[in-house]
Structure formats: structure tokens, C-alpha cells
Amino acid sequence: MKTLNTIAAATLAMMSHGALAAGVLEEVIVTATKKAESLQDIAVTVNAFDADTILEAGINDAQDLAVLTPSLNINTNISPFNARMTIRGIGTAQTDPALEPSVGLFIDGIFMGRSGLGMSDLTDIERIEVLQGPQGTLYGKNTNAGAISVITKSPNFDKLEGHLEVTAGNYAMQRSTVSISGPVSDSLAYRLSGNVHKHDGYLENAGGADLNDADDWNLRGKLEWQPDDAWNVMLSAGRVKRDTTCCGADAVQTEVVNTELEAQGLARDKNDPYDYEIAVDVDSAFEMESDLASLVVDYEGDWGSVKSITAWNQYDYKTSTDADRSQLDVLSIVDDKYSGDSLSQELRFAAEIGDSLDYMVGLFYYEQTTERGDGSAFVFIGDDLVPVASQLDLPLPAPIGFLAATGDSLSGKNKLETETLAVFGQATWHLGERWHLTGGLR
């Protein structure tokens, strides 16, 4: 039902913009090339969505964004943090904490080391740009498949303004978004925005609590200082907290599983993946807390411009799920814990040489620590694994009874450290009014 509503809203939004376009073609300004340019004038494949389109199309999260972007696909499995973002079919699943995303996610120019950090509700968004193809000569962190750039709204220096949006729906859904912004003085302004999203589970579970509910909130604050026409300093901080029984899923069971269910006096699975009825004995869960802080300094001189982006991010989350998607006690994952933190520093210099050449060069440093587990068990083998698995034709090197037994568990403690240092740059030679030659190096 959510997908249908999103598509309907998107259709209405495109119809309304199409009616405007019949009279005049509205110019779309993007910053995909690290400077404000018309979408029609840049040699980059970009899907851009402004604040009005985001509101009218009902884009609330990244998965809604994928509905409006033909080349973008986003899917999740066990948890939102394992989101796999692909552009033109190319992408990296985040199920392994050692893997970095091929589709980079940038929020206000800040690289987010894990795709799952962008899967919460979008709040107070000015513009979203989806760039297709490798992005390395303009972005600090190299991304092989493409990039999703989210630009949030800046503080208002002119007047006090506010925005309140309240949405209600079935399954007791409540979503509230609020923002307020205004000047503190002639050179200082603030912006504060937040979102609360709650709804009951919509997967009816015969074996326990209904799954796929939500109890999420996020808060972001910005303080902008403009001491003169040359300098701009932006201090930002945000926090996200999620508590959901994601990601329950309806499954199609084999006859072996259904026979074992009957033998234990349990109902057979209907094997209808679209009836929103399940029966699992382990509740799914996803709990996350994430903090982000950044300092962006811009200087515009007669000789060019300098931009510095310093950012810090920290997150913790844990997941639980019934891996066999049934009421049988086969395999369960309980409190699988992850954590991570990152620090990045990007420095860019841009200038022009006459009217024929403009260029940008940059330095980028990034360090990230990712951890999984604390030494305690989180994967558990149940009483029914051996009886069920022994009846299946599994390509195992030895009998299942030799490899696993009831009561076995898996525990671990892993720590991965990543350090990135990059020099990158790009230059454009304007050969004429309509011809431009661009080259880059990383």
C-alpha cells in the first residue's frame, strides 16, 4: 500500500510539473560539479529533485527516492543497515562490515561510510541529486557506481520561518516533521529540524508480536556565521534513533518444513508471500543510534575559493531475526551488535584562469573503525535444525549432524580499520560557447 501511494503521489507531482513545463521550461540548479550550475549545462548524468518535488511526491526516505529514479535500486534484507544501493545495476551489499559502498551517500558534502546511515526519514531537505557513474575527481571519497547527494536547508538570515507537517495513516501511523529557522544577528542564523515516525506492525504474526513496526526520530541543528561577504562558517550536528521490528518478511516454505510444522502441531505455512501473514517464533528487531557533527568553512576571494569540510560520525546498532522465517526452532540471530566511527577532512580549492579555463583540486583524508560483536553469542542453532536439514539435499562436505548440533552457537569480536588519503582534481577548458573539454585525475 505504501508503494502504491508513493507512485500515485509521484504521478501527480510529475503531472503538476508537466503542466508548468508546457508554458516554460523551469531551470534546475544543481551542485553535482561542486559549483552551482544549470542541469542542462553540465556533462554529468544527474537526477535532481528539489524541495517542492520531494514534498509533492511524498519522498520520505531513500527507498521512496528509488521509485522516482529509474537507474537507482535500494533493497534491504535483515536490517536497514544492510541496504544495497545500486545505480545501473552496480552496487555493493553492506552485509559485510569490511565492504565499502559502491554508491556513495553524501549529506551536505559529507561522505557516510555505511549506506544504512541514510535509510532513516529524510527531514528538511533542500535538494537531492543522484549522480550516475564513477565519482572520484570531484568528490573526496571515490565511489565507483555513482553518488547520492542530499543537501539540507540552510538557516534563514532574512526572517523567522517555520514548517510543520503531520501525517496519519493505517496501522496507527503517525509522522510529524517540524523545522524552525531565523536570524540571531546580522551575521548569525540558526536552523533546527526534527522528525518523529511511528506505526504498528503490518505483518500479522501467528507466532508472536506483529512485525515491521517503527518508532524512530531524528534531530538536526545548524548554526551559520557570515562575518563578511568572503567568509561562511556552518556548524551542524544531528542525532538519529531507530527502534523497529524490521525486517520481517513473508516466506515460501518447503514441503519438508511444512511437514515438520504439522508433526509438531503447528499450522502449515500458506506459502502466500503477499498475504501479510507470517508465523515466526523469534521477533525481528533493529535498534540504532547515530550522531553526526560537521564544520564547513567557505572562503570566496578574488583569486578563487577554498572549502574545508570536517566531519565526525559515530553509530551503534543491533539486529535480531528469525533466520528460518518459521515457527520451527532452526536458526536464530539475537542481538547481533555493530558499531563504528569515522573522521574525515576534505579541503578543496577552485579558481578560474581567464574565461577559458576553470579548475578544482582537493585533498581528502578519511579514517573509519568498524566493529562487530562483543564476544558473546549471537547466532543460535535450535532443536529442529538437524531433523529438517537432514531431509534436504544440501551440498555439505559432511552429514549435518557432524557439522552442527542443538545448542551450538556462534560468537565473535571483529574490528576493522580503514584509512584513505586522496588527491583529486578536475579542469574544464571552454573551447567555445557550446564546446567544453573536461578532464580529471585522482
Side-chain angles (χ1 to χ4, degrees), residues 2 5-7 9-11 13-14 47-69 72 74 118 120-125 127-130 148 150 165 167 175 177 195:
K2 178 182 178 183
N5 287 340
T6 302
I7 294 175
T11 303
M14 287 186 287
N47 294 91
F49 307 92
D50 60 17
D52 291 338
T53 302
I54 293 169
L55 179 63
E56 293 169 3
I59 300 176
N60 295 308
D61 53 34
Q63 289 183 307
D64 292 339
L65 178 66
V67 175
L68 296 184
T69 310
L72 175 64
I74 300 175
S120 57
D121 284 348
L122 301 173
T123 305
D124 216 21
I125 304 301
R127 188 174 65 259
I128 300 176
E129 300 170 3
V130 181
I148 300 175
V150 179
E165 180 182 349
T167 305
R175 178 184 281 114
T177 302
N195 173 277

Side-chain angles (χ1 to χ4, degrees), residues 196-207:
V196 177
H197 179 201
K198 297 182 179 182
H199 66 75
D200 294 339
Y202 56 83
L203 281 181
E204 185 178 345
N205 182 19

Side-chain angles (χ1 to χ4, degrees), residues 97 337 339 369-375 378 411-416:
K337 300 175 183 177
S339 64
T369 300
T370 304
E371 298 184 55
R372 181 183 184 183
D374 58 3
F378 61 92
S411 61
K413 186 175 182 179
N414 304 283
K415 183 176 182 179
L416 304 103

Side-chain angles (χ1 to χ4, degrees), residues 200-252:
D200 294 339
Y202 56 83
L203 281 181
E204 185 178 345
N205 182 19
D210 295 344
L211 300 186
N212 287 5
D213 66 2
D215 186 2
D216 307 336
W217 63 267
N218 63 68
L219 183 67
R220 181 190 298 117
K222 286 187 172 185
L223 193 62
E224 186 173 5
W225 180 44
Q226 295 180 351
D228 53 43
D229 294 338
W231 289 92
N232 185 285
V233 180
M234 180 83 75
L235 178 64
S236 304
R239 180 171 177 79
V240 177
K241 187 171 183 179
R242 305 194 62 185
D243 185 359
T244 172
T245 55
C246 174
C247 297
D250 207 342
V252 175

Side-chain angles (χ1 to χ4, degrees), residues 106 127 159 179 205 239 327 345 349 380 399 409 415:
F106 297 83
R127 188 174 65 259
K159 62 181 180 180
S179 67
N205 182 19
R239 180 171 177 79
Q327 281 188 278
Q345 174 63 56
F349 172 73
F380 302 91
S409 62
K415 183 176 182 179

Side-chain angles (χ1 to χ4, degrees), residues 22-263:
V24 59
L25 183 61
E26 183 179 356
E27 184 179 37
V28 179
I29 302 298
V30 297
T31 55
T33 57
K34 296 304 179 183
K35 58 181 179 179
E37 292 184 291
S38 172
L39 183 60
Q40 294 176 303
D41 295 337
I42 62 174
V44 179
T45 304
V46 182
N47 294 91
F49 307 92
D50 60 17
D52 291 338
T53 302
I54 293 169
L55 179 63
E56 293 169 3
I59 300 176
N60 295 308
D61 53 34
Q63 289 183 307
D64 292 339
L65 178 66
V67 175
L68 296 184
T69 310
S71 62
L72 175 64
N73 183 57
I74 300 175
N75 57 62
T76 59
N77 188 5
I78 295 177
S79 81
F81 228 81
N82 292 342
R84 182 173 185 261
M85 299 182 178
T86 63
I87 293 180
R88 295 172 174 170
I90 303 173
T92 306
Q94 295 282 272
T95 51
D96 187 339
L99 297 178
E100 292 190 328
S102 298
V103 177
L105 175 65
F106 297 83
I107 298 179
D108 292 330
I110 300 166
F111 174 71
M112 311 304 291
R114 315 302 296 174
S115 300
L117 291 170
M119 296 303 295
S120 57
D121 284 348
L122 301 173
T123 305
D124 216 21
I125 304 301
E126 177 68 32
R127 188 174 65 259
I128 300 176
E129 300 170 3
V130 181
L131 293 78
Q132 302 180 28
Q135 308 296 325
T137 60
L138 283 175
Y139 285 77
K141 190 68 177 70
N142 191 32
T143 52
N144 298 325
I148 300 175
S149 178
V150 179
I151 299 94
T152 61
K153 293 181 179 179
S154 299
N156 192 326
F157 277 87
D158 298 325
K159 62 181 180 180
L160 179 66
E161 67 171 4
H163 172 79
L164 173 63
E165 180 182 349
V166 179
T167 305
N170 54 355
Y171 297 99
M173 191 275 281
Q174 303 175 36
R175 178 184 281 114
S176 301
T177 302
V178 63
S179 67
I180 185 171
S181 179
V184 178
S185 65
D186 292 339
S187 61
L188 188 67
Y190 71 93
R191 189 172 199 96
L192 186 64
S193 58
N195 173 277
V196 177
H197 179 201
K198 297 182 179 182
H199 66 75
D200 294 339
Y202 56 83
L203 281 181
E204 185 178 345
N205 182 19
D210 295 344
L211 300 186
N212 287 5
D213 66 2
D215 186 2
D216 307 336
W217 63 267
N218 63 68
L219 183 67
R220 181 190 298 117
K222 286 187 172 185
L223 193 62
E224 186 173 5
W225 180 44
Q226 295 180 351
D228 53 43
D229 294 338
W231 289 92
N232 185 285
V233 180
M234 180 83 75
L235 178 64
S236 304
R239 180 171 177 79
V240 177
K241 187 171 183 179
R242 305 194 62 185
D243 185 359
T244 172
T245 55
C246 174
C247 297
D250 207 342
V252 175
Q253 302 291 355
T254 65
E255 185 59 29
V256 171
V257 172
N258 272 330
T259 299
E260 183 64 26
L261 286 169
E262 281 188 317

Side-chain angles (χ1 to χ4, degrees), residues 147-429:
I148 300 175
S149 178
V150 179
I151 299 94
T152 61
K153 293 181 179 179
S154 299
N156 192 326
F157 277 87
D158 298 325
K159 62 181 180 180
L160 179 66
E161 67 171 4
H163 172 79
L164 173 63
E165 180 182 349
V166 179
T167 305
N170 54 355
Y171 297 99
M173 191 275 281
Q174 303 175 36
R175 178 184 281 114
S176 301
T177 302
V178 63
S179 67
I180 185 171
S181 179
V184 178
S185 65
D186 292 339
S187 61
L188 188 67
Y190 71 93
R191 189 172 199 96
L192 186 64
S193 58
N195 173 277
V196 177
H197 179 201
K198 297 182 179 182
H199 66 75
D200 294 339
Y202 56 83
L203 281 181
E204 185 178 345
N205 182 19
D210 295 344
L211 300 186
N212 287 5
D213 66 2
D215 186 2
D216 307 336
W217 63 267
N218 63 68
L219 183 67
R220 181 190 298 117
K222 286 187 172 185
L223 193 62
E224 186 173 5
W225 180 44
Q226 295 180 351
D228 53 43
D229 294 338
W231 289 92
N232 185 285
V233 180
M234 180 83 75
L235 178 64
S236 304
R239 180 171 177 79
V240 177
K241 187 171 183 179
R242 305 194 62 185
D243 185 359
T244 172
T245 55
C246 174
C247 297
D250 207 342
V252 175
Q253 302 291 355
T254 65
E255 185 59 29
V256 171
V257 172
N258 272 330
T259 299
E260 183 64 26
L261 286 169
E262 281 188 317
Q264 296 188 21
L266 300 171
R268 293 173 60 93
D269 194 288
K270 297 178 182 178
N271 280 350
D272 181 356
Y274 304 107
D275 62 0
Y276 293 89
E277 295 180 5
I278 61 174
V280 296
D281 58 335
V282 177
D283 290 341
S284 295
F286 173 75
E287 299 178 20
M288 183 192 82
E289 294 184 2
S290 174
D291 298 291
L292 175 67
S294 65
L295 178 65
V296 180
V297 180
D298 285 283
Y299 178 77
E300 293 277 351
D302 296 335
W303 40 265
S305 64
V306 177
K307 189 181 191 75
S308 170
I309 303 176
T310 307
W312 169 84
N313 175 240
Q314 186 275 333
Y315 67 85
D316 296 278
Y317 77 94
K318 61 181 180 180
T319 64
S320 298
T321 189
D322 191 333
D324 56 274
R325 308 289 192 185
S326 76
Q327 281 188 278
L328 297 180
D329 186 14
V330 177
L331 186 67
S332 59
I333 301 174
V334 180
D335 289 344
D336 188 4
K337 300 175 183 177
Y338 297 78
S339 64
D341 60 75
S342 64
L343 177 67
S344 64
Q345 174 63 56
E346 184 172 347
L347 187 64
R348 297 199 302 261
F349 172 73
E352 298 178 354
I353 300 178
D355 296 327
S356 60
L357 183 69
D358 58 66
Y359 66 94
M360 188 274 290
V361 293
L363 295 171
F364 179 74
Y365 175 77
Y366 180 78
E367 63 176 25
Q368 176 180 250
T369 300
T370 304
E371 298 184 55
R372 181 183 184 183
D374 58 3
S376 59
F378 61 92
V379 177
F380 302 91
I381 293 177
D383 296 338
D384 299 321
L385 174 65
V386 174
V388 171
S390 60
Q391 300 180 61
L392 301 174
D393 186 20
L394 300 175
L396 299 175
I400 185 64
F402 177 78
L403 299 174
T406 298
D408 284 355
S409 62
L410 174 67
S411 61
K413 186 175 182 179
N414 304 283
K415 183 176 182 179
L416 304 103
E417 296 181 348
T418 303
E419 189 173 32
T420 301
L421 181 63
V423 180
F424 59 97
Q426 181 169 296
T428 299
W429 181 20

